[in-house]
Amino acid sequence: MANRTDPLAKSIRGTNPQNLVEKILRSKIYQNTYWKEQCFGLTAETLVDKAMELDHLGGTFGGNRKPSPFICLVMKMLQIQPEKDIVVEFIKNEDYKYVRVLGAFYLRITGTDVDIYRYLEPLYNDYRKLRRKLADGQYALTHVDEFIDELLTTDYSCDIALPRIKKRWILEQNKQLEPRRSALEDDFEEEEEKDEDEPLATGLDDEHEKDYYRGGSPTRERDRDRRRDSHRYRDRDYDRDRDYDRDYDRDRDYDRERGRRDRDRDRDRDRDRHRLRDDKDYGRERDRERDRERDRRDRERGRRRSYSRSRSRSRDRKDREDDRRKRHARGSASPARDEPKKKKEKKEKKEKKDDGTDHPDPEIAEANRLRASLGLKPLKL
């Protein structure tokens, strides 16, 4: 609850005011002891007392990047979002320089371009010293005008990224700001008027007056040279700012063009990579289809071969079956047909056995054979 933004606070640059501080720095501020003890419950009125106690400014310091009280109070102002009149009073406070710097830093973060130039440029005339805490924890000497120049010309201060603002000459061209008038010009005009009145008051002779009004007076020449130098310096600063903006715009256009070229190159590379990947996928798919076709042909050929083999086997089986059937038919039909032949053979064998020609004794068998040829009975021994 203590770290939430005021519900009545308005969004700045389209976001929560506390989001103008980076998340890492914001979390470090929330965990800081000064934030928990000194900034709890502060309002726009009581915050002035804490700002008057500041004795230095800075962002983070030390090895663990501890936030300074100055940046904690800036965070508190972003949280409670004081009114613009209070911030302007902070800036116009001449008694406490750190209160002035605190208001200027807050206005630089949250204010409009016109308000930033209108309220911060007069602080160029403040030359008071400031103590600034560096990142290593050491203190350095600076001045109010130097810090204001840092806020108006740089994009980073006190470890916070400052929002970009328009250049002054652009606002002058748009009639939003009057041309800047240096505080030294009033002194120059007073010196010039004083120098012009001195010859009349002292009653110088006519020749001296003629020399003075012709421009021969050394004082007048010096004043004229000083004014010319001041205008020259101002024009030179204006030209330098314009050249810087032109160079910045040219660099930004170059960076944008280079980024576009890089994006186009990356897009072409991605397109080529996807094309190669598609080609590889197409080639792989084509190889896979070819393998499937080859397997299908092999299966078809094997099926055809197995079919022909099965047909040949069935044909051989059928032939064998036919042969068996024929043999069986022959075997079943031959006994009735060959039975007389068998009887005849048995009878012949019996007769052969009866005539004694098969006698084991060869002489007896020979004698029986002769007796059989003569029609006699065989010998029985």
Side-chain angles (χ1 to χ4, degrees), residues 4 16 31 35 38 44-45 54 74 106 108 110-112 147 154 193 236 256 322 337 343 346 351 355:
R4 289 187 178 180
N16 190 323
Q31 298 171 3
W35 171 265
Q38 305 297 328
E45 292 78 10
L54 291 175
V74 172
Y106 176 77
R108 174 63 180 85
T110 61
T112 61
F147 185 71
T154 61
E193 293 176 358
R236 187 173 60 186
R256 189 182 298 115
D322 293 341
R337 195 182 303 121
K343 288 182 179 181
K346 286 181 179 180
E351 289 178 354
D355 60 7

Side-chain angles (χ1 to χ4, degrees), residues 307-322:
Y307 176 70
S308 62
R309 193 180 299 115
S310 62
R311 285 183 60 187
S312 62
R313 282 199 300 268
S314 62
R315 192 182 299 112
D316 295 340
R317 193 182 303 112
K318 186 176 181 181
D319 294 341
R320 286 196 300 272
E321 190 68 26
D322 293 341

Side-chain angles (χ1 to χ4, degrees), residues 265-281:
R265 186 170 60 254
D266 295 339
R267 193 182 302 112
D268 295 339
R269 190 182 298 113
D270 293 338
R271 191 183 302 114
D272 294 339
R273 190 182 301 114
H274 288 301
R275 188 183 298 113
L276 291 174
R277 188 182 304 154
D278 295 338
D279 293 341
K280 289 181 180 179
D281 294 340

Side-chain angles (χ1 to χ4, degrees), residues 12 28 34 49 77 194 214 232 249 329 334 337 352:
I12 299 175
K28 289 181 180 179
Y34 184 87
D49 299 332
M77 293 181 70
K194 188 183 298 183
R214 269 194 217 108
R232 187 183 300 115
D249 294 337
S334 60
R337 195 182 303 121
K352 286 181 179 180

Side-chain angles (χ1 to χ4, degrees), residues 5-11 17 79-81:
T5 308
D6 189 357
L8 302 178
K10 299 178 181 178
S11 62
Q79 187 182 46
I80 63 178
Q81 199 178 56

Side-chain angles (χ1 to χ4, degrees), residues 136-176:
D136 57 355
Q138 302 294 327
Y139 289 98
L141 180 64
T142 184
H143 299 80
V144 177
D145 57 334
E146 293 179 3
F147 185 71
I148 297 300
D149 185 69
E150 178 182 335
L151 295 179
L152 292 177
T153 57
T154 61
D155 298 331
Y156 211 77
S157 179
C158 295
D159 296 328
I160 292 181
L162 303 176
R164 288 190 58 83
I165 58 176
K166 296 179 182 178
K167 297 300 180 181
R168 180 179 176 81
W169 63 271
I170 297 177
L171 299 177
E172 291 179 2
Q173 287 183 351
N174 296 334
K175 307 296 184 181
Q176 295 178 342

